[in-house]
Amino acid sequence: MPPASPAPAPAPAGKPTSVLAIISLISGILGWTLLPWLGSLAAIVTGHMARSEIRRSQGGMEGDGLAVVGLVLGWAMVIISLLTILAFVFFLGGLAVLLTMLGISGQY
């Protein structure tokens, strides 16, 4: 009977992924779907925290790309929301000025 071959060595474990980076990505997606402002703000905060954690690990942790995507999604939603609000206010303000110039008031 041939000698038993040794069991194969387990595959080396890769670097751990930052949990904060994963949370940032998920929050960024939620910011565009179910929780517009809350998810976006959580994505921004956890994204910055994750990138800091990954830098401090000096190559011992992965997930920087996930954190960056979470940050981009979060900041994009905040910026688009603010620009939409600003455009709406300017539109109504411009409409009020136009009506005033035409001599039309909202009072009867």
Side-chain angles (χ1 to χ4, degrees), residues 34-89:
L34 300 174
L35 303 169
W37 276 85
L38 186 61
S40 297
L41 292 176
I44 292 167
V45 170
T46 56
H48 284 294
M49 290 171 59
R51 295 201 70 210
S52 175
E53 176 184 52
I54 293 166
R55 275 194 302 269
R56 280 193 314 266
S57 74
Q58 297 178 351
M61 193 173 280
E62 293 182 342
D64 192 54
L66 300 175
V68 169
V69 171
L71 280 167
V72 168
L73 289 173
W75 279 115
M77 176 53 84
V78 168
I79 290 169
I80 289 172
S81 297
L82 292 176
L83 288 176
T84 301
I85 291 168
L86 192 62
F88 186 72
V89 168

Side-chain angles (χ1 to χ4, degrees), residues 2-41:
S5 61
K15 298 177 191 175
T17 301
S18 169
V19 174
L20 288 171
I22 296 169
I23 292 172
S24 177
L25 176 63
I26 292 170
S27 298
I29 293 169
L30 285 175
W32 281 88
T33 56
L34 300 174
L35 303 169
W37 276 85
L38 186 61
S40 297
L41 292 176

